[in-house]
Amino acid sequence: MSKAIVSSFYKSDVFLMACRQFDKAADAINLPEAIRDRTKYPKRCLAVSLPIKRHDGSVTVFEGYRVQHSVSTGPSKGGIRFHQNVTLGEVAALAMWMSWKTSLVGLPYGGAKGGVIVNPNELNETELEQLSRRYMQEMVNFVGPQIDVPAPDVGTNEKIMGWMMDTYSNHVGHLAPAVVTGKPIVLGGSQGRREATGAGIAYLTKRYLHDLKVPMSKTTVAIQGFGNVGSEAALALAGYGAKIIAISDYTGGIHNPKGIDLNKALTYVRYQKTLHDFDGGDPISNDDLLELKCTVLAPCALERVITDKNAPKLKCRVLAEGANGPTTNAADKVIEARGDIEIIPDVLCNSGGVIVSYFEWLQNLSSFYWSRDEVLQKLFTMLDKAKDSVDAQKRKFHFSRRLAALTLGIQRVADAKQSRGLFP
Ligand code: NAD
């Protein structure tokens, strides 16, 4: 059979990493050749130019993307990233992982991701609003509550989702809250969405520590990335009784073996924007943080930070992947060979975000809103089910936990494609 003829414009280390993960999983479940490439490659993408007027009267053009990887099981779903290192290949890899994630946890969604090449810290509030609105304006015919539903990711937040929802609603002529999730509550956001990803990471980590018979009171945690995901994971883990001994952001980290005062750190970041010069411990680099002796290491920032160089030096018992794609395939091999670290793979570990995004979308479509307790209870039930299915797959086929999670996610997407048939 002939292989796929695809352009190389997604080509990048991170897209190749996602493709190799797919190939390995497809081999492991003997996915038929006829369905492989259809399942693997993104369905479509859009690249846009985004001109905005700057505070000094000049005009800057930014570049943005949206990749819809799969729409076979429902509207595609995935965040929008504002970061200076965004590439089309990175967005495509993140979209692919969204497909496996939504499928793994049984949501009626496909996978997508968006991004803009911009350092949002270099824009003032007005410029950020213009850029966010312009991005959505360019996406109006590409997204929609039944087509593709964006959400926040690195560098974007509730306020940005609110501007995007307003831009789309103005275009269609009525309030359309279900077009994006992660909105402010007053605009149809869900109770519990802000903390959902971090709360899910903490919940799964607690369950795995329980399996390992490690008490929360003896658990120490190092977290890379103190944004939405990292800070909420820290708060929830501390709430369960763990001690957070290190946190970091792009400016560097703080280490305190006695435990970091999280409320003080959050207040500091609210006013100073970064952890730089925070006096709650000793400074530590992002690289050194990853190699700290701790029970739980939670990378909650960007991809590919755990490599074959530092994997042999990790000193954690559990690697909770809050970020998407934090562990390279080469590092994965090293960790598997070591056999002393339990990985909670990204597609399972951080799935709380998209699960509560799904709840938000459901609430928007029905105009019926749930309490925070209801949201979190339903979240934990879905996470329990996903964890149990991943662990059962792991045991049944003697897979690593990552391979177990990926094979479950990939199989469902492939099955849906096969059942729908190939049109025309
Ligand atoms: P965020 O923008 O709120 O926070 C990102 C954090 O990472 C910030 O503290 C930032 O300073 C830090 N950071 C950036 N570059 C860094 C670097 N080079 N070294 C160390 N720290 C760095 O983003 P977020 O929403 O918390 O997303 C974090 C990760 O979680 C991403 O991988 C994202 O794809 C993933 N994720 C997010 C969600 C969600 O609901 N927001 C859901 C699932 C997965």
Side-chain angles (χ1 to χ4, degrees), residues 120-402:
N121 302 321
E122 290 175 0
L123 301 186
N124 67 26
E125 175 106 344
T126 312
E127 294 166 336
L128 191 63
E129 178 174 354
Q130 279 187 51
L131 183 65
S132 307
R133 288 184 178 280
R134 188 70 191 218
Y135 179 86
M136 179 48 94
Q137 176 62 38
E138 295 300 334
M139 293 290 151
V140 154
N141 295 315
F142 203 58
V143 301
Q146 299 300 337
I147 303 170
D148 180 13
V149 185
D153 191 75
V154 175
T156 54
N157 54 27
E158 288 176 9
K159 194 185 266 185
I160 290 176
M161 292 305 116
W163 291 327
M164 289 190 176
M165 190 278 283
D166 179 68
T167 306
Y168 182 86
S169 297
N170 275 303
H171 183 83
V172 295
H174 57 84
L175 185 71
V179 69
V180 293
T181 57
K183 302 176 292 292
I185 287 183
V186 70
L187 295 179
S190 178
Q191 297 286 345
R193 173 62 185 89
R194 184 184 300 172
E195 58 267 47
T197 312
I201 294 165
Y203 181 77
L204 287 168
T205 302
K206 180 175 74 132
R207 284 218 47 199
Y208 279 107
L209 288 170
H210 182 263
D211 292 351
L212 294 168
K213 302 190 175 23
V214 178
M216 289 306 293
S217 57
K218 291 217 164 82
T219 295
T220 55
V221 184
I223 300 187
Q224 183 185 66
F226 200 61
N228 170 275
V229 174
S231 65
E232 292 293 348
L235 283 172
L237 282 162
Y240 288 138
K243 194 194 287 178
I244 314 301
I245 59 164
I247 54 175
S248 74
D249 65 15
Y250 74 92
T251 63
I254 301 294
H255 176 217
N256 186 342
K258 293 195 182 122
I260 288 169
D261 181 338
L262 293 175
N263 287 324
K264 201 171 145 195
L266 282 165
T267 306
Y268 187 87
V269 170
R270 187 170 310 128
Y271 293 107
Q272 303 298 325
K273 305 293 175 216
T274 70
L275 283 168
H276 186 65
D277 278 345
F278 174 60
D279 66 1
D282 299 324
I284 186 170
S285 72
N286 267 295
D287 288 345
D288 290 346
L289 179 146
L290 296 173
E291 294 173 19
L292 275 177
K293 182 166 170 45
C294 56
T295 322
V296 179
L297 174 64
C300 294
L302 298 175
E303 305 89 57
R304 298 171 62 74
V305 291
I306 297 175
T307 63
D308 51 347
K309 302 272 181 311
N310 59 14
K313 300 184 205 152
L314 299 188
K315 295 178 199 72
C316 59
R317 183 74 185 88
V318 172
L319 178 60
E321 294 187 333
N324 287 305
T327 308
T328 66
N329 296 341
D332 227 14
K333 270 194 196 149
V334 174
I335 295 171
E336 229 179 303
R338 282 180 53 162
D340 58 344
I341 296 177
E342 295 293 322
I343 298 185
I344 314 177
D346 50 4
V347 289
L348 173 65
C349 192
N350 67 36
S351 63
V354 72
I355 292 173
V356 177
S357 274
Y358 167 58
F359 296 162
E360 181 173 330
W361 181 76
L362 283 181
Q363 293 170 78
N364 294 153
L365 292 177
S366 61
S367 297
F368 182 75
Y369 287 85
W370 312 347
S371 70
R372 182 172 181 275
D373 282 353
E374 214 173 338
V375 166
L376 292 181
Q377 199 47 54
K378 285 185 164 76
L379 166 66
F380 296 150
T381 303
M382 288 190 77
L383 290 175
D384 281 337
K385 200 170 150 211
K387 173 188 184 290
D388 292 346
S389 64
V390 168
D391 290 345
Q393 177 91 340
K394 177 180 184 290
R395 280 192 302 273
K396 184 170 173 192
F397 296 106
H398 304 288
F399 288 166
S400 70
R401 191 168 291 109
R402 187 186 312 286

